[in-house]
């Protein structure tokens, strides 16, 4: 099927075949994304447990329980 330029009026009927290459560069606009876990404030009141980090020997670990799907 060939590309064509056509008038959108049903009464007109004008139509012209397009020959050659059609190129249109459209810049990508990225959307701003929300933090999935709520950002830094979501970690303010989380649970913690005593355990030793194998890399730095820190003795507390923080964790958050979230529901990932409904019943």
């Amino acid at each position: 099927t060939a590309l064509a330029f056509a008038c959108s009026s049903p009464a007109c009927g004008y139509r012209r075949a397009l020959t050659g290459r059609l190129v249109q560069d459209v810049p990508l606009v990225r959307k701003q994304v929300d933090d999935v876990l709520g950002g830094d404030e979501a970690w303010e009141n989380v649970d913690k447990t005593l355990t030793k980090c194998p890399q730095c020997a820190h003795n507390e670990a923080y964790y958050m329980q979230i529901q990932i799907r409904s019943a």
Side-chain angles (χ1 to χ4, degrees), residues 37-67:
L37 297 177
D40 292 337
E41 348 26 273
W43 291 94
E44 289 177 1
N45 297 314
V46 295
D47 297 317
K48 57 184 168 182
T49 187
L50 295 177
T51 188
K52 186 175 179 182
C53 173
Q55 185 172 343
C56 70
H58 187 74
N59 61 359
E60 270 185 337
Y62 299 89
Y63 64 96
M64 181 187 309
Q65 296 181 48
I66 59 173
Q67 182 176 346

Side-chain angles (χ1 to χ4, degrees), residues 21-53:
R21 190 171 155 206
L22 299 175
V23 176
Q24 180 181 8
D25 289 332
V26 179
L28 175 65
V29 179
R30 294 191 178 269
K31 295 190 287 185
Q32 188 173 7
V33 216
D34 292 336
D35 254 333
V36 176
L37 297 177
D40 292 337
E41 348 26 273
W43 291 94
E44 289 177 1
N45 297 314
V46 295
D47 297 317
K48 57 184 168 182
T49 187
L50 295 177
T51 188
K52 186 175 179 182
C53 173

Side-chain angles (χ1 to χ4, degrees), residues 4-20:
F5 175 78
C7 179
S8 62
S9 169
C12 178
Y14 176 80
R15 188 172 178 87
R16 180 173 177 171
L18 297 176
T19 59

